[in-house]
Structures are given as C-alpha cells and as structure tokens.
Amino acid sequence: MKIMIGNDHAGVEMKKLLTQQLQEWGHEVINRGTDSIDSVNYPEFGKEVANAVVKEEADLGIIICGTGIGISIAANKVKGARAAVCTNELMADLARRHNNANVLALGARIVGDELAIAITKAFVEGKFEGGRHGTRVDLIESYRC
Ligand code: RB5
C-alpha cells in the first residue's frame, strides 16, 4: 500500500517511527511532513495529505500533530477526505470498517509509541464493510457544499 504521512513539528519523531514500521510491513511511505522541530503550521500538512489521498496519489494518509485534532480538522476541509483521530486500536479499526476513513490522525503528545504502532496497524489492515455504513458515508459526503 502507498501511504502518505504529514506532520508538524510535534510529530517528527512519531513520523520516523511509523515510517520505519510501515516499511517493515512492506508499505511504500511518502513523507510530506516537516523533518524539523522548528514550529510550523499543522493545517498545511493536513490539507496536503488529504488532497493527495483524495486524488489517489496515495491509498491512505497518516497525519500527526500534538493532539491529532488540529491537523484532522484541516484535513476534513478537503472534499472526499475522511480523517479520523484515533487513540486506540478499536477506534482505528472501526474508522476503517464503518466510516471508510482514508486518513488517520494521531496525537504525538497523546499516544505512546507502542500504541501508535498498534493503531496504525489496525487502520492500515481495516477494510470498509459498505452496506448500511456506505449509506451513512454517502450521506456525510452529500453534506459538503
Ligand atoms: C503545536 O504546538 C500544536 O498546537 C499542534 O501540534 C496540534 O496539537 C494542534 O492541534
């Protein structure tokens, strides 16, 4: 799978950790985040990754800021992006199975390394179930104007 990662200064170390792990699992990782701890504006990275996923330049996106909140709010401004902040594996699994989330948002100051890896694994391996969940996702998409 081709996975694009974007992050602000708070997410640099987590990005490196997840990149290594995703590559070990056989995925291709595209880095669109900052590699510096100098302060940057997280919305730009959320928007860029979400845009790329919607344009199918990547299969899934992972975005990281301090909490995962700000960057996910920015990503969800992009039509067709469904970014989900996940703080445990069940959320990540259900975000894929029920919400067809295409971008995982993580808070580097919220979740530890092992949990972040477990969340990422659940997200990447999760498969959308469609059916009634498809109807609901379609409704969400129809609310965009
Ligand atoms: C940056 O300090 C911090 O505000 C950002 O990483 C994120 O947590 C915003 O939601």
Side-chain angles (χ1 to χ4, degrees), residues 77 79 139-145:
K77 292 285 185 181
K79 185 171 168 55
L139 268 177
I140 294 170
E141 291 304 322
S142 78
Y143 296 154
R144 296 263 181 196
C145 23

Side-chain angles (χ1 to χ4, degrees), residues 42-43 46 65 67-75 85:
Y42 60 80
C65 68
T67 60
I69 296 171
I71 203 164
S72 66
I73 292 172
V85 186

Side-chain angles (χ1 to χ4, degrees), residues 8-11 39-40 42 64-71 109:
D8 73 358
H9 50 283
S39 186
V40 291
Y42 60 80
I64 311 165
C65 68
T67 60
I69 296 171
I71 203 164
R109 295 172 179 154

Side-chain angles (χ1 to χ4, degrees), residues 42-137:
Y42 60 80
E44 294 171 10
F45 300 94
K47 186 182 86 168
E48 180 168 355
V49 171
N51 257 323
V53 170
V54 168
K55 288 183 190 159
E56 299 185 348
E57 291 167 19
D59 299 301
L60 290 174
I62 297 177
I63 52 179
I64 311 165
C65 68
T67 60
I69 296 171
I71 203 164
S72 66
I73 292 172
N76 279 320
K77 292 285 185 181
V78 175
K79 185 171 168 55
R82 290 177 298 280
V85 186
C86 298
T87 55
N88 63 44
E89 291 161 81
L90 180 60
M91 289 175 77
D93 181 46
L94 290 175
R96 293 287 299 129
R97 282 169 47 201
H98 289 187
N99 310 117
N100 202 14
N102 47 17
V103 179
L104 168 65
L106 289 168
R109 295 172 179 154
I110 305 296
V111 297
D113 289 354
E114 272 187 40
L115 182 54
I117 289 170
I119 291 169
T120 300
K121 187 173 195 297
F123 191 81
V124 167
E125 290 181 356
K127 299 266 181 300
F128 183 48
E129 289 176 5
R132 67 186 189 282
H133 303 297
T135 305
R136 293 161 187 168
V137 171

